[in-house]
Amino acid sequence: MRAINRTLRKRLVIVLFALGAVFMALIGRLAYIQLIQSAWLTEKAEDLWRRNIPVESKRGTITDRNGEVLAYNGSAPTVIAIPAQIKDKPSTAEKLAKVLHVEAKDLLAKISKRTLLVYVTPGGRKIDEQKAKEIRGLKLPGIYITEEGKRYYPFDSLSAHILGFSGIDNQGLTGLEEWYDERLRGKSGSISFFANARHEEMPNQNDSYTPPQNGQNLKLTIDKEISTFVRREIENVVAQYNPDGVMAVVADPKTGEILAMENYPTFNPAQYKEYPQEVYNRNLAIWKTFEPGSTFKIVTLAAALEEKKINLNDYFFDPGYYEVAGRRIRCWKAGGHGSESFLEVVENSCNPGFMLMGQRLGKEKLFDYINKFGFGQKSGIDMPGEGKGIMFKLNRVGPLELATTSFGQGVSVTPIQQVMAMSAVANGGLLMEPHVAKEWSDPETGEVIETVEPKVKNRAISEETAKKVRETLESVVARGTGKNAFREGYRIAGKTGTAQVAAPGGGYKQGHYIVSFIGMAPADDPKLVAYIAVDHPKAGLVFGGVIAAPVVGNILADSLHYLNVPARKNGIPREYQYGDIRPVEVPQLSGLSVEEAQKTIIQISSNLRVEKVGQGKHIVAQAPAAGTKVPPGSTVRVYLSDQPVP
Amino acid sequence: MAKADTLKQEANKTCADLCNLLATENMKSAKHRPDFLLLIVILLLVSIGLLTIYSASIIWAAQFKKLSADYYFIRQFMWTILGLTAMFGVMNVPFWRWRQLLPLQLPFSILLLLVVFAFPGGEDGSYHRWILLGPVSFQPSELATLTVILYMAHIMTKKQDRLDSFKKSVVPPLVITGLFAGLVIAEPDMDAAALIVVTAMAVMFGAGIPIRHFVKLAVPVIGLAALFIFSSEYRRERIFGYLHLDPFSIESIRGEGWQQANSLYAIASGGWTGRGLGRSIQKFLYLPEPHTDFIFSIFAEEWGTIGAIVLIVLFAILIWRSIRIASLLPDRFGSLVAVGITAMIGFAVIANIGMVIGALPVMGIPLPFISYGGSALLIKLLAMGILLNLSRYTAEEQAR
């Protein structure tokens, strides 16, 4: 018996040690969980328990350069429900329906969904404060009020392509709303709490509120007033010529800031869904690529002047064509311009003259300047959807390609590239990077976070050449093809362009032209560069000088007046031809008596109307001032007083 | 020759019985105080169990079952009163009475295992684990385990001089054990059946059956177990889930791994010191039936890993005390009963905690004294009563 008991005891010791080891293993495993795995397990567990009610951040406002609001967020209370927390669903639906004026059964269906969070719709999104207050007053469990933003664009379609729009969930979809989405959007916050497995809020657990981080405010380089002028001009063009498209850009040549960029067809960002997607997705002014035609001659001219290949006073004979590689390429004017100076070549936009310049430059030099002026590459503007354009590859450029390129055919460019090239001429030779964002500021404090500085990409030509090109272009407006852009006192310089549109199968589309004009003013110190292109205008005489030039003239004159740029007197005088309407110079009336003034008006036999303001015999002031040139039939206002001017 | 052998055996048997009788008579006079430490540990475990069941079950009862929050607690409390009464009663019943009662207990226990088939349970009525009498339910497999322990201790005592014979001392008890286990498997409750078999083996091991017999047994037992495991899909899943060692994989978390993953969340997020009594988050319906098999994780979440280790240590003390009793008892039957009870508690604790902390596959074995379950607690307290009674007959002087 003792022996048997000894076996038992021996075996019990084994059992004791085995069990002891297993228990130690259990404790070890527990410690392992706590020491090693606890961090990620706890994180997973908290993810499992945590429920977040999103609190939308407020999208930053977008203003023009003067603080005029172009896009802002209205926020409105929105009702949301956590179905699991609603104890009595029918009565909750009933009570909500009464406040929101909707069918209770629709709401009941909504709040009976088996999801964490639902919007109480219909009727519960973006409600007014009064209703929100009533719903808060009901103190319904599981019903919460949160804020939701709605984007407003107070000027409807003004600068629509620049602004773009944002979708229902506060996300930028096109334009700057897309390009700067992250900064404008900010970061959503949340109310978070621990819930049980049925999404019901747990008692005695800390709720936490992470406030949303509102999006930054963006100030643009855009000037709302100038944009309005541009818009008005585009609408006139559309009414008059019914074109397929219009694109216009106004820029500050010294900084590369875009002051206006408008397109037709356009859209209203608030109702973007009503427009075809190609309308709102294509910002034609940076997207569309087409043959520029004669406006491109500026590059050839600048290159030829910089390389001293021509002298503006040298003479050239245009027989009406230019022979290249055994082929005759004709000038736009049948019969040619005959003998002309190179200045007149530019004034007349004479193709053979430019082909000669191209030939003298050679393909390497010409294409080098084309590159320096920024063609064939994206301008780098801070907007989505920019086009790049197409250039000949240098090794495939023969004499024919060189000839056509030098007057703007066979190359494809975007409007913004042309504007920046013109800006380089305007600012003394520097190619700038265009931009529309000017300044970022904190939405809470208004403090400026970031100011966008002008960025020089490279020097294209020397200041001296730039000055020469400007003078030449001023004479194009005063005496050449750009006469319709002439505005007395503003010294507008510019170049017309009329280009055929390439057909998809090769060759050109019959009767389809894009007419354009690019101008700057004042020529001695350009403040603005303006560009307009009209795609397929329906008119008898389709020339850039006829359709596009007056538009740029109007835009520049109105904008410069608005910017208080003083009128110049030393400009190249306009050359008048038979049939042109000559402006009338306003006589000196101020300081005269009424009778003397009447005599003066009759003497100059001009067609001016006089409007008297006030009472008396003596004229003390007049508007416009003496010496101003106005169209015949204009009104001069005179201010009367009993006392003569001392 | 054959007759002489028979006579010799007869004489041996008489001698063995006589010896036992003598020893028993000796012990009667040597009766002393029960193991006080053991009693304290049992009372502590029962109290912890009640408290944890209350904390773990209120949310499940109120929010899921739509019962009153203290529904499970009140029931468990009644069973605890009943169980403790039974324990203190049995503590004073001399343990050899159980041996005398065995001819009644054995058929009664089998009868209950048969009666259970009249009570369909589970969601689709395919389970027969409880005998339902009005508000009271009873799990006959629990009683079966205790019956098997007593039977094995009896038979191993009776055949102690023929332990070397595989045919005579291993096969007959295994047939009885197999009968019990088979009935429990038919309920079906594979895990409870496994516990019965393992406990029976432990008694045989303690009794001194030669190791080579166990080796012979290993092949058919493991083979049978494998057969049962792979014949049922959910058991297969449990094993594969365990072998993949990732209760967090998508397939696993949707199926069997859900409980284990949530159990680990509870233990990990409780930290070393715990959230505090009643502050578990996982009991908010993340962990289904938090008061039953996975209660240890809720305990760990509320009391922290330190609390969990203390609980494990309490079980370790209980096992140490019962092994001590087994080794100090001069009576062979009593000693083997103590071994069986130790095995029943010990294996259940290891299986349960091992499962909860993700070291073992998911099994349906409750944590003794802590998990919710009235009849299980009653039987375990009854067993503790027997153990406490056994502790009164230990030969303390011999230990010195």
Side-chain angles (χ1 to χ4, degrees), chain B residues 271-289:
Chain B
W272 285 103
T273 52
R275 286 183 191 283
L277 177 61
R279 314 198 90 216
S280 156
I281 291 178
Q282 282 295 81
K283 72 184 179 189
F284 278 81
L285 314 186
Y286 286 107
L287 190 63
E289 304 204 346

Side-chain angles (χ1 to χ4, degrees), chain A residues 545-579:
Chain A
V546 177
I547 296 169
V551 175
V552 168
N554 291 344
I555 291 171
L556 284 175
D558 283 349
S559 303
L560 291 171
H561 176 73
Y562 156 75
L563 293 174
N564 292 322
V565 175
R568 308 296 209 258
K569 292 222 163 73
N570 53 352
I572 302 173
R574 192 188 196 286
E575 188 184 276
Y576 290 98
Q577 286 170 336
Y578 175 75

Side-chain angles (χ1 to χ4, degrees), chain B residues 78-215:
Chain B
M78 310 275 235
W79 280 104
T80 307
I81 299 290
L82 187 64
L84 287 176
T85 314
M87 183 181 85
F88 285 115
V90 167
M91 201 168 87
N92 294 309
V93 175
F95 64 88
W96 54 88
R97 299 266 178 247
W98 295 101
R99 201 175 176 188
Q100 293 158 358
L101 202 65
L102 208 53
L104 287 175
Q105 196 186 340
L106 211 55
F108 177 70
S109 197
I110 289 177
L111 182 68
L112 285 185
L113 282 176
L114 291 169
V115 166
V116 83
F117 288 99
F119 297 91
E123 273 169 25
D124 52 356
S126 60
Y127 288 83
H128 310 88
R129 291 180 182 173
W130 291 277
I131 294 172
L132 306 162
L133 297 170
V136 183
S137 61
F138 187 82
Q139 209 171 352
S141 62
E142 293 287 339
L143 178 63
T145 315
L146 188 59
T147 308
V148 168
I149 291 170
L150 292 169
Y151 166 75
M152 288 304 284
H154 159 73
I155 202 87
M156 286 296 127
T157 309
K158 198 171 149 199
K159 300 197 171 183
Q160 61 174 295
D161 49 349
R162 276 157 289 170
L163 290 177
D164 282 351
S165 161
F166 187 76
K167 226 184 250 172
K168 286 181 179 149
S169 62
V170 177
V171 177
L174 275 186
V175 169
I176 297 293
T177 308
L179 176 66
F180 275 94
L183 284 170
V184 174
I185 283 175
E187 286 182 5
D189 193 346
M190 168 90 182
D191 305 319
L195 193 60
I196 290 175
V197 173
V198 171
T199 307
M201 301 274 239
V203 179
M204 285 164 69
F205 178 77
I209 297 281
I211 301 292
R212 59 176 194 278
H213 290 347
F214 286 102
V215 176

Side-chain angles (χ1 to χ4, degrees), chain A residues 247-276:
Chain A
M247 50 230 102
V249 181
V250 178
D252 178 339
K254 297 202 172 72
T255 57
E257 291 179 351
I258 304 298
L259 296 168
M261 183 182 281
E262 298 287 329
N263 299 297
Y264 166 84
T266 187
F267 64 99
N268 183 347
Q271 278 115 33
Y272 69 91
K273 281 180 185 153
E274 294 166 16
Y275 298 85

Side-chain angles (χ1 to χ4, degrees), chain A residues 60 80 156 174 212 224 236 239 242 252 270 277 284 368 414 427 454-455 465 498 553 558 562 594 600:
Chain A
I80 54 169
D156 296 339
T174 63
K224 184 227 143 197
N236 286 343
N242 186 28
D252 178 339
Q277 64 87 16
L284 297 177
D368 184 34
T414 63
N427 66 25
K455 200 169 145 197
T465 308
T498 306
D558 283 349
Y562 156 75
V594 173
T600 313

Side-chain angles (χ1 to χ4, degrees), chain B residues 293-307:
Chain B
D293 290 357
F294 279 88
I295 194 165
F296 182 76
S297 64
I298 301 294
F299 179 82
E301 191 187 357
E302 295 193 345
W303 296 93
T305 298
I306 292 173

Side-chain angles (χ1 to χ4, degrees), chain A residues 49-260:
Chain A
W49 305 327
R50 182 166 289 124
R51 300 293 185 276
N52 288 322
I53 301 176
V55 180
E56 217 176 60
S57 56
K58 207 168 180 178
R59 212 172 164 79
T61 55
I62 303 178
T63 63
D64 85 338
R65 61 190 300 124
N66 301 314
E68 192 85 52
V69 176
L70 302 178
Y72 69 97
N73 253 40
S75 106
T78 282
V79 192
I80 54 169
I82 299 182
Q85 295 181 4
I86 305 169
K87 296 266 145 46
D88 185 357
K89 292 196 169 75
S91 113
T92 302
E94 200 78 39
K95 284 177 188 160
L96 282 176
K98 211 175 272 175
V99 179
L100 299 172
H101 305 298
V102 289
E103 289 285 324
K105 66 175 187 338
D106 297 343
L107 293 186
L108 183 60
K110 212 60 181 203
I111 62 174
S112 303
K113 281 194 175 177
R114 307 200 68 157
T115 48
L116 169 62
L117 202 69
V118 290
Y119 283 111
V120 177
T121 49
R125 279 188 95 161
K126 294 165 187 175
I127 57 174
D128 59 46
E129 276 302 334
Q130 181 56 36
K131 281 180 183 172
K133 209 174 147 191
E134 279 179 53
I135 289 170
R136 275 192 201 101
L138 291 173
K139 290 199 161 66
L140 296 166
I143 300 292
Y144 299 84
I145 304 263
T146 182
E147 293 278 311
E148 254 197 325
K150 185 178 176 352
R151 203 73 167 151
Y152 293 95
Y153 302 90
F155 297 105
D156 296 339
S157 60
L158 191 76
S159 302
H161 282 103
I162 297 174
L163 298 173
F165 50 81
S166 60
I168 185 85
D169 292 318
N170 201 19
Q171 82 284 28
L173 294 176
T174 63
L176 291 179
E177 298 270 32
E178 179 200 346
W179 189 265
Y180 289 121
D181 190 33
E182 215 169 289
R183 293 182 82 166
L184 287 168
R185 190 196 293 207
K187 277 205 183 88
S188 297
S190 63
I191 300 166
S192 80
F193 56 86
F194 281 173
N196 68 15
R198 291 174 165 183
H199 310 313
E200 293 156 350
E201 187 171 356
M202 278 196 296
N204 307 323
Q205 296 291 339
N206 286 340
D207 295 358
S208 69
Y209 173 65
T210 315
Q213 212 175 327
N214 289 338
Q216 297 172 5
N217 289 342
L218 173 60
K219 183 188 261 190
L220 301 183
T221 58
I222 299 301
D223 191 309
K224 184 227 143 197
E225 291 303 322
I226 295 177
S227 295
T228 309
F229 300 148
V230 174
R231 193 80 244 153
R232 179 197 70 204
E233 291 301 321
I234 288 179
E235 267 150 31
N236 286 343
V237 167
V238 170
Q240 213 172 339
Y241 301 108
N242 186 28
D244 291 356
V246 182
M247 50 230 102
V249 181
V250 178
D252 178 339
K254 297 202 172 72
T255 57
E257 291 179 351
I258 304 298
L259 296 168

Side-chain angles (χ1 to χ4, degrees), chain A residues 22-73:
Chain A
V22 174
F23 272 67
M24 285 313 290
L26 290 181
I27 290 173
R29 164 78 183 155
L30 264 179
Y32 175 76
I33 291 174
Q34 208 49 256
L35 286 171
I36 311 286
Q37 298 183 309
S38 150
W40 72 274
L41 277 173
T42 305
E43 199 183 304
K44 276 178 99 93
E46 286 187 358
D47 281 351
L48 184 69
W49 305 327
R50 182 166 289 124
R51 300 293 185 276
N52 288 322
I53 301 176
V55 180
E56 217 176 60
S57 56
K58 207 168 180 178
R59 212 172 164 79
T61 55
I62 303 178
T63 63
D64 85 338
R65 61 190 300 124
N66 301 314
E68 192 85 52
V69 176
L70 302 178
Y72 69 97
N73 253 40

